[in-house]
Amino acid sequence: MMTIKQSWYIYSVLLYLCISPLLLHADEQPDTSSDIEIIQQLEQELGIQFERLDQLFLSASYTANTQNQVTGLHIFGSNFLTEIPKLVFSLSHLQQLYITDLYSLAYGNQTQSISPKIAQLQNLTELVIQYGYVDSLPPEIGQLQNLNSLSLSSRQLKTLPPEIGQLQNLNSLSLVSEQLQTLPSEIAQLQNLMSLSLRLSQLQTLPPEIGQLQGLTSFSLSGSSLLQSLPPEIGQLQNLLQLSLSFTQLTTLPAEIGQLKNLTSLGLNNNRLQSLPPEIGQLTKLTSLNLVDNQLESLPPEFGQLQSLESVLLWSNKLQTLPVEIGQLKNLTSLQINNNQLQSLPPEIGQLEHLTQLPVYQNQLQTVPPEISQLSKLGYLDLRFNPLQTLPPEITQLNDSIALLVSEDAPITSPPANIAKQGFAAMRYYFNSLDSQTARCTMNQCEYTVYFDQAGYYVANISLPETGQAGMWGLAIALQSDNINRPISVTLNDVSTGSSSNIQNNLPSWVAFYLARSQAINLTAYNYLTPEQPVLTSFLQNADNGRTAFLEPTVITPQQTFTMPQVEAGFYILETTSTNEQDIYAGLSIQGKAVSNIVSGGWIEPTNITEGFISFYVSAPSFAQFNLAFADNYATLGASQPQLNIESIDTTSGERTLLWPATSKN
């Protein structure tokens, strides 16, 4: 039987065991203050002001329910935190906790820690901690059974505790750490994990257990600069939609990458990939592929199997060719292949019917295939910094609204670079000027467009072949600026004309022109067959009510200047015949500061001697419109099938070089 003394001893021991924890941890007893009072105490402790908001924002703020229970807390920019304030752990209703210690992140140099008391926040569903120098997570982190999102940014975190695998409800895990070197195998226990981000880590490899995260839809290892390979188990992530492996050191991809059947986005930019496995073609749901800044020299033919691709970024590689299978990517809208070593583009590129963007600058292209004209939806084509020699005329079939970029100093000759840089309308104008078959002809006249790529003296000759029919001809010429998108009338300088008259039919040679403003005009006459014989010139003004003489017919000595007195603005015609009723081959040179819309005409026969001409000076690269009329417009006797030849003239040697031939066709 127990004595009274023994009973008292046992009672004393039990009493000590019950109250000793209270005595030892009296300073750690639960805070009975209300949540709002705790916030007020935090304000005093941290020296910051919390705002009460409906949802957490980029400021020191908190959220609370109708019972004034704090459910969300954002400690923003507090001064050099070394740990989570103890008062926070008294907020038992807390569901969201954001700690953004910007000062320490930028300037601190001390180690920070997360208290084991974090386990007291049993209602926590979202934890975001941006400490500059957190070196570890406490094992107690695994007790946060309601946690579904964990985001931690730290410069010092090197590993995760095995207890991380106990977070069975976690669906998002984001770790940004420059020191993270390993992952525990227990990470495979996170079967509800859907998003895993391990950016800027020092991981050299991934544990094979990574393949057990069957629920993953998004996985990022971007910036893991020591990662050189992926385990074959990566292919087990069958539900993966997005995979970011940019800015790592990958040199190859495992064949198992092709098992990611549901992958829609794959980021592989800024690596060291030299080739892609053929299995890449099995990613048939892939819509976005980023391969920028690698060392790829070619693409496998299987690349064409990526039928869902909409965007492919391939710039800054070493590609020399593209596979012909590229044409199979029917849904592609953006193909960025600039900064490579491409020497040509395959004709199949024209099959990319939905392509809207095609930057190809900084390659080795000398031309592009005519099939590029089939890209009816193209809106942007950048061909700068290529040694372009030619562009196919078919390129002008593209929409005029396309943003076309061509280097001004490109060695391109057809069309000239200063034309190509203006876009497709200008190039179309140029190519039409080269092709005589594109002349717009009617029964008695043809219209030609000619491009003069440099300033200089030129002559337009009109002649007939031996089988041609003699008759009257007329040639109108007008110049525009080389920038046809901003048409500017360009005055013809130093215009001279020459043609034959036909006395028998009372048909003089003539020249018509427009005078833009009142001024004096200087004329010089020429008699090309008998240089000493004067010529007779009539001066007519052309108005709506007909032609009227504004000067009496005047005899002009060849090669001497005759000055017309002050002449009002308007249209004028000068007719030239001989003084002895014989046919002559004469011409006039007109000098004025505002002379334009030149039209010259006369008699033409199928010989090499009696050709007509207009010579003129072009002061800048320009397009010229020539309208050659050769029938009833000028007489009942109309010439047939005259030929227009344009030559450049070397003013030093007098040598002529054929610039542009075109034969009109009825």
Side-chain angles (χ1 to χ4, degrees):
M1 184 175 181
M2 186 179 297
T3 64
I4 294 177
K5 184 177 181 179
Q6 290 174 327
S7 298
W8 174 252
Y9 175 78
I10 293 174
Y11 173 77
S12 299
V13 171
L14 292 174
L15 180 61
Y16 174 79
L17 292 174
C18 291
I19 67 174
S20 60
L22 300 178
L23 295 174
L24 291 173
H25 303 283
D27 62 328
E28 299 182 8
Q29 293 307 300
D31 194 325
T32 58
S33 303
S34 69
D35 285 1
I36 302 302
E37 291 174 334
I38 292 174
I39 294 296
Q40 294 171 350
Q41 295 174 40
L42 274 173
E43 289 178 335
Q44 295 178 1
E45 178 180 331
L46 301 177
I48 58 178
Q49 183 72 35
F50 286 94
E51 297 181 76
R52 179 167 179 170
L53 303 173
D54 292 334
Q55 59 183 7
L56 297 182
F57 192 63
L58 292 178
S59 63
S61 58
Y62 70 94
T63 60
N65 57 24
T66 55
Q67 289 80 37
N68 281 332
Q69 297 170 337
V70 174
T71 57
L73 179 64
H74 186 181
I75 300 177
F76 178 86
S78 55
N79 241 341
F80 301 105
L81 285 175
T82 58
E83 62 180 2
I84 299 176
K86 294 182 177 61
L87 285 169
V88 172
F89 304 123
S90 299
L91 299 172
S92 58
H93 303 97
L94 205 60
Q95 297 176 15
Q96 296 174 299
L97 176 58
Y98 296 179
I99 308 291
T100 307
D101 187 8
L102 296 182
Y103 294 104
S104 189
L105 184 64
Y107 307 111
N109 57 9
Q110 55 189 339
T111 300
Q112 298 165 313
S113 62
I114 298 178
S115 170
K117 293 183 181 180
I118 193 74
Q120 296 179 19
L121 303 178
Q122 285 297 301
N123 289 309
L124 206 61
T125 61
E126 185 176 2
L127 178 58
V128 178
I129 300 178
Q130 293 184 354
Y131 272 7
Y133 292 90
V134 172
D135 57 358
S136 64
L137 292 178
E140 289 79 4
I141 196 78
Q143 298 177 30
L144 301 177
Q145 291 299 300
N146 289 310
L147 197 65
N148 55 51
S149 178
L150 174 59
S151 177
L152 176 61
S153 176
S154 170
R155 296 181 179 180
Q156 296 294 333
L157 187 67
K158 296 182 179 179
T159 187
L160 297 176
E163 290 79 6
I164 197 77
Q166 299 173 16
L167 301 176
Q168 293 299 304
N169 288 308
L170 197 67
N171 57 49
S172 177
L173 175 58
S174 175
L175 300 174
V176 180
S177 174
E178 299 173 0
Q179 299 295 327
L180 185 64
Q181 298 176 1
T182 60
L183 292 177
S185 58
E186 288 80 1
I187 199 169
Q189 299 172 18
L190 303 177
Q191 290 301 299
N192 288 310
L193 197 64
M194 299 178 63
S195 175
L196 176 59
S197 178
L198 302 171
R199 295 184 296 122
L200 303 179
S201 75
Q202 296 295 299
L203 294 171
Q204 297 185 31
T205 186
L206 295 175
E209 291 82 3
I210 201 75
Q212 299 177 30
L213 298 176
Q214 298 291 311
L216 270 189
T217 59
S218 176
F219 187 17
S220 175
L221 286 159
S222 179
S224 298
S225 57
L226 298 182
L227 187 67
Q228 297 184 12
S229 62
L230 297 175
E233 290 78 6
I234 195 77
Q236 299 174 17
L237 304 178
Q238 297 291 306
N239 290 308
L240 204 59
L241 301 176
Q242 299 176 333
L243 178 58
S244 178
L245 299 167
S246 58
F247 292 93
T248 68
Q249 296 294 314
L250 293 176
T251 57
T252 60
L253 294 176
E256 290 77 6
I257 197 79
Q259 298 175 17
L260 304 178
K261 304 296 185 182
N262 289 301
L263 201 64
T264 60
S265 176
L266 178 56
L268 291 165
N269 54 293
N270 299 86
N271 280 284
R272 297 184 178 181
L273 296 173
Q274 297 181 3
S275 62
L276 298 177
E279 290 78 6
I280 196 80
Q282 299 174 20
L283 305 178
T284 55
K285 293 186 179 181
L286 200 64
T287 61
S288 175
L289 177 58
N290 189 340
L291 288 162
V292 168
D293 202 1
N294 278 279
Q295 299 176 21
L296 297 173
E297 296 183 359
S298 62
L299 300 175
E302 292 79 4
F303 199 83
Q305 299 173 17
L306 302 176
Q307 300 282 312
S308 298
L309 266 185
E310 298 175 4
S311 174
V312 178
L313 308 182
L314 281 162
W315 41 276
S316 294
N317 276 279
K318 298 181 179 180
L319 294 174
Q320 298 183 13
T321 60
L322 293 177
V324 296
E325 290 80 5
I326 198 82
Q328 300 174 17
L329 306 181
K330 301 298 185 181
N331 289 304
L332 202 61
T333 61
S334 178
L335 176 59
Q336 301 188 20
I337 48 178
N338 45 291
N339 296 84
N340 277 281
Q341 300 172 15
L342 293 170
Q343 298 181 10
S344 64
L345 297 177
E348 289 76 10
I349 202 166
Q351 300 173 17
L352 303 178
E353 56 191 37
H354 290 101
L355 199 65
T356 61
Q357 297 185 35
L358 183 58
V360 203
Y361 59 88
Q362 287 189 331
N363 276 283
Q364 298 299 315
L365 299 178
Q366 295 187 10
T367 188
V368 295
E371 290 79 4
I372 204 168
S373 63
Q374 300 171 18
L375 302 178
S376 59
K377 295 185 178 180
L378 197 63
Y380 174 72
L381 176 60
D382 193 340
L383 296 170
R384 292 175 299 165
F385 311 114
N386 279 284
L388 290 172
Q389 300 289 331
T390 62
L391 290 176
E394 291 84 355
I395 200 171
T396 62
Q397 298 174 21
L398 291 170
N399 195 302
D400 289 350
S401 63
I402 290 177
L404 173 67
L405 300 177
V406 177
S407 297
E408 292 188 24
D409 59 351
I412 186 170
T413 57
S414 179
N418 62 327
I419 295 298
K421 71 178 183 180
Q422 296 179 46
F424 300 110
M427 286 192 289
R428 187 179 305 115
Y429 208 57
Y430 170 80
F431 283 122
N432 287 347
S433 75
L434 300 182
D435 187 358
S436 63
Q437 303 304 318
T438 63
R440 293 184 291 273
C441 294
T442 63
M443 291 299 294
N444 59 359
Q445 62 180 328
C446 283
E447 184 179 281
Y448 306 95
T449 300
V450 180
Y451 180 68
F452 299 91
D453 62 357
Q454 58 186 351
Y457 288 90
Y458 297 89
V459 59
N461 291 315
I462 299 91
S463 61
L464 283 174
E466 293 183 0
T467 58
Q469 176 183 333
M472 290 293 291
W473 62 272
L475 180 65
I477 176 174
L479 267 67
Q480 285 184 318
S481 163
D482 66 336
N483 190 335
I484 68 166
N485 297 316
R486 300 194 305 272
I488 303 173
S489 178
V490 179
T491 299
L492 294 166
N493 300 322
D494 300 333
V495 175
S496 297
T497 65
S499 60
S500 296
S501 61
N502 187 291
I503 301 301
Q504 180 181 357
N505 293 292
N506 193 28
L507 298 174
S509 61
W510 53 272
V511 58
F513 61 91
Y514 174 74
L515 194 61
R517 60 178 181 269
S518 176
Q519 62 179 290
I521 298 294
N522 292 326
L523 300 177
T524 303
Y526 299 90
N527 191 330
Y528 297 103
L529 295 180
T530 53
E532 303 300 326
Q533 181 182 347
V535 297
L536 181 65
T537 302
S538 299
F539 304 90
L540 306 175
Q541 185 172 13
N542 193 33
D544 292 339
N545 57 358
R547 299 178 181 180
T548 58
F550 69 95
L551 280 180
E552 293 297 325
T554 302
V555 175
I556 302 178
T557 302
Q559 301 188 36
Q560 290 187 5
T561 299
F562 172 80
T563 300
M564 296 169 60
Q566 195 73 13
V567 181
E568 298 298 322
F571 289 93
Y572 295 91
I573 300 174
L574 306 181
E575 296 182 344
T576 303
T577 59
S578 69
T579 57
N580 58 6
E581 297 186 355
Q582 294 182 355
D583 293 343
I584 63 170
Y585 182 45
L588 287 174
S589 176
I590 306 172
Q591 297 94 39
K593 294 183 178 180
V595 179
S596 61
N597 292 23
I598 300 294
V599 183
S600 179
W603 183 261
I604 189 170
E605 294 185 359
T607 67
N608 291 328
I609 299 176
T610 57
E611 62 179 7
F613 75 87
I614 300 179
S615 67
F616 51 92
Y617 177 76
V618 177
S619 60
S622 305
F623 284 101
Q625 196 78 35
F626 291 89
N627 190 296
L628 177 60
F630 44 86
D632 294 343
N633 294 52
Y634 300 102
T636 55
L637 297 175
S640 62
Q641 296 183 327
Q643 180 168 301
L644 174 64
N645 298 311
I646 299 175
E647 300 170 313
S648 61
I649 304 173
D650 187 322
T651 56
T652 302
S653 64
E655 182 180 353
R656 296 185 179 188
T657 302
L658 185 64
L659 173 68
W660 191 86
T663 303
S664 62
K665 293 187 178 181
N666 293 336

